[in-house]
Amino acid sequence: MSEQKLSGEVFYPSKEVIEKANAKCRHLYESAEKDFLGFWETEANELHWFKKWDNVLDDSKKPLYKWFTKGMTNIAYNCLDVHLNNARRNKLAFIWEGERGEFRSYSYFALHRETNKFANVLRSLGVKKGDRVTIYMGRVPELAIAMLACARIGAIHSVVYGGFSVEALHERLEDSQSKVLIVADGAYQRGKIVELKKIADEALQRAATVESVLVVKRTGHEIVMQPGRDMWYHELMHLPIAHSDDSVEKMDAEDPLFLLYTSGTTGKPKAIMHTHGGYMVGTYTTLKYVFDIHEQDRYWCAADPGWITGHSYIVYGPLLNGATSFMYEGAPTHPYPNRWWQMIEKYGINILYTAPTAIRGLMKFGEAWPNRHNLSSLRLLGSVGEPINPEAWRWYHKVIGNEKCPIMDTWWQTETGSFMITPLPCTPLKPGSGTKPFPGIKADVVNEEGKSVKPNEEGYLVIKTPWPSMLRTIWNDPERYVKQYWNRFPGMYMTGDSAKKDEDGYFWIIGRVDDVIKVSGYRLGTAEIESALVSHPSVAEAAAIGLPHEIKGNAIYAYVILRTGYEKSEKLIEELRLHVGHEVGPIAKPEKIEIVESLPKTRSGKIMRRVLKAKALGQDPGNLSTLEE
Ligand code: PRX
């Protein structure tokens, strides 16, 4: 690819990077182009199946695609058991550092043992194949152990991000009808304790299906344990029952593996469902080629396991590849802005995968902090979650990567399960572009009629053929799955993003076209924030929008109409911000709340958020013909 003449600012990977890469670029793209099912089948054959599939893809009931039909496997078996009889047995699977500097590590042997013990604990509590288990913790190894233990026995995990709060957790427990909640007593965040168990207790008051609550001791602060419902993880793990069995549930490739709630255009967050077979093949293949995992590498994905990035690229992808993965509990700038650089030096990290918001946040403190550390172990860098602005890209490339580490700007979604548009280590890079679709993925930018647009024209980003790690449905709402993703452009998966493709075929993501706001890379729906606001007694109506923010990418601005009898005051505004924090989580707290007399609406009563946005930015609001007043 490197002989290609490309337009604009281009960074060519070095010969060493290209030669070392697992991905032999031209060959990989060409073989996937010729036969995309054959491409995925070759990859699937590298994993363990108790029984091989009949068909790689069943597309007889579009868009209800099935992959590796009648194949039998188990993703947790492929993450752990397969490594026990080879040189990886004693290799480190996880290295973990706590915010307060504690250190723990797990070999593949140890991680298998702990997972198996916890799988038995879950079994002893009556958890069976297909049951839902919610997990609510900070970034600790027990979170991965809990996920893997669920997968091992065929239970469906639903991880709720530890930064979410009472109402968000309650909704997810209810919607998934979880039988068990696994929670930590607390989590450390910038030196303070987030009281996870206390939040859970409040959420549990209204969650009728939860029979048992298993509590991981992380902070050790005082919590209330409800007799008959709450049990300590460490106590259960010491019981003989934990050693009773080491069997693995043989799963159909299409059996659900997990639910992960994410924000959509309307209403409550929806549970995206992924499966054992296809998701396994997608995460395994993409990580191997994009982050170029080699046996001796130490890889660090700095995301939270509570989000898809953590599911796919802290837990499943790395373990499927037999990698050594580093996990850090805390914030990048605590206690000082060199925390990450210190750990890269200390643990000899080779690959760092993070989000533009973190890069911008660290950039703010200047070069002196990273320059104090030896970062020469780094070989590859990664970015995810939102478009990376070229300035942050260049800083990351120069200051952190010493101009020798290619940046893998990976575009994908909770729904896609794994990378969709991304460079490979051998791809010439343009700052701010995710470059090209991964081999086997057919992406395009189309207009209102679903026709490909011309180079550099903005349009809707779509995916034109199915891929193994695609979501299979929305839990409890299969109709919405079809309506939301497949009805807009028949036969194409609608991503919800707008994008452009340049004259070299490079994709440039512009942003969401729906009412989803990306705050520090986290996905929030305007509907969630608005319903949190109107649940406060003083609020009659509310509208939330995202406005550009230097570090966070977007910040939330909310407009509120008060009920009669309430007076506008700074105190009330602060109370409303805290209320959103309590209901949804601190990340959803609006940056600013403005009390207004009315909101711009269409004649059918829909709030015109684009008008609010244009007004806040001092821009022309465009066509106002549908505005009511
Ligand atoms: O708008 C895109 C943005 O994040 C959305 C998906 O969010 P979520 O499901 O939370 O998953 C985030 C992590 C995979 C997309 O629709 N997005 C994600 N990665 C990028 C991005 N936008 C631009 N460039 C990226 N690399």
Side-chain angles (χ1 to χ4, degrees), residues 332-341 362 365 369-370:
T333 50
H334 184 82
Y336 302 110
N338 64 335
R339 192 70 162 99
W340 276 15
W341 320 130
L362 288 160
F365 294 98
W369 289 100

Side-chain angles (χ1 to χ4, degrees), residues 184-188 193 216-223 232:
D185 54 353
Y188 287 109
I193 291 177
V216 171
K217 191 178 257 183
R218 168 65 190 121
T219 51
H221 73 287
E222 204 166 314
I223 58 166
W232 287 105

Side-chain angles (χ1 to χ4, degrees), residues 308-309 384-387 409-414 497 509 512 518 523:
I308 191 67
T309 311
V384 62
E386 54 174 320
D409 180 356
T410 60
W411 177 90
W412 59 297
Q413 308 177 298
T414 307
D497 279 9
I509 309 297
R512 300 288 307 189
K518 281 269 167 162
R523 180 165 159 180

Side-chain angles (χ1 to χ4, degrees), residues 260-263 272 307-310 313 353 356 383-388 408-419 421-422 432-434 461 493 495-498 508-514 516 518 521-524:
L260 188 55
Y261 286 82
T262 191
S263 303
I272 302 300
W307 298 92
I308 191 67
T309 311
Y313 298 112
Y353 184 30
S383 174
V384 62
E386 54 174 320
I388 179 164
M408 304 293 108
D409 180 356
T410 60
W411 177 90
W412 59 297
Q413 308 177 298
T414 307
E415 292 88 340
T416 69
S418 60
F419 306 148
I421 297 175
T422 172
S433 166
L461 179 66
Y493 168 84
T495 65
D497 279 9
S498 63
W508 298 79
I509 309 297
I510 296 162
R512 300 288 307 189
V513 284
D514 52 12
V516 168
K518 281 269 167 162
Y522 294 120
R523 180 165 159 180
L524 292 163

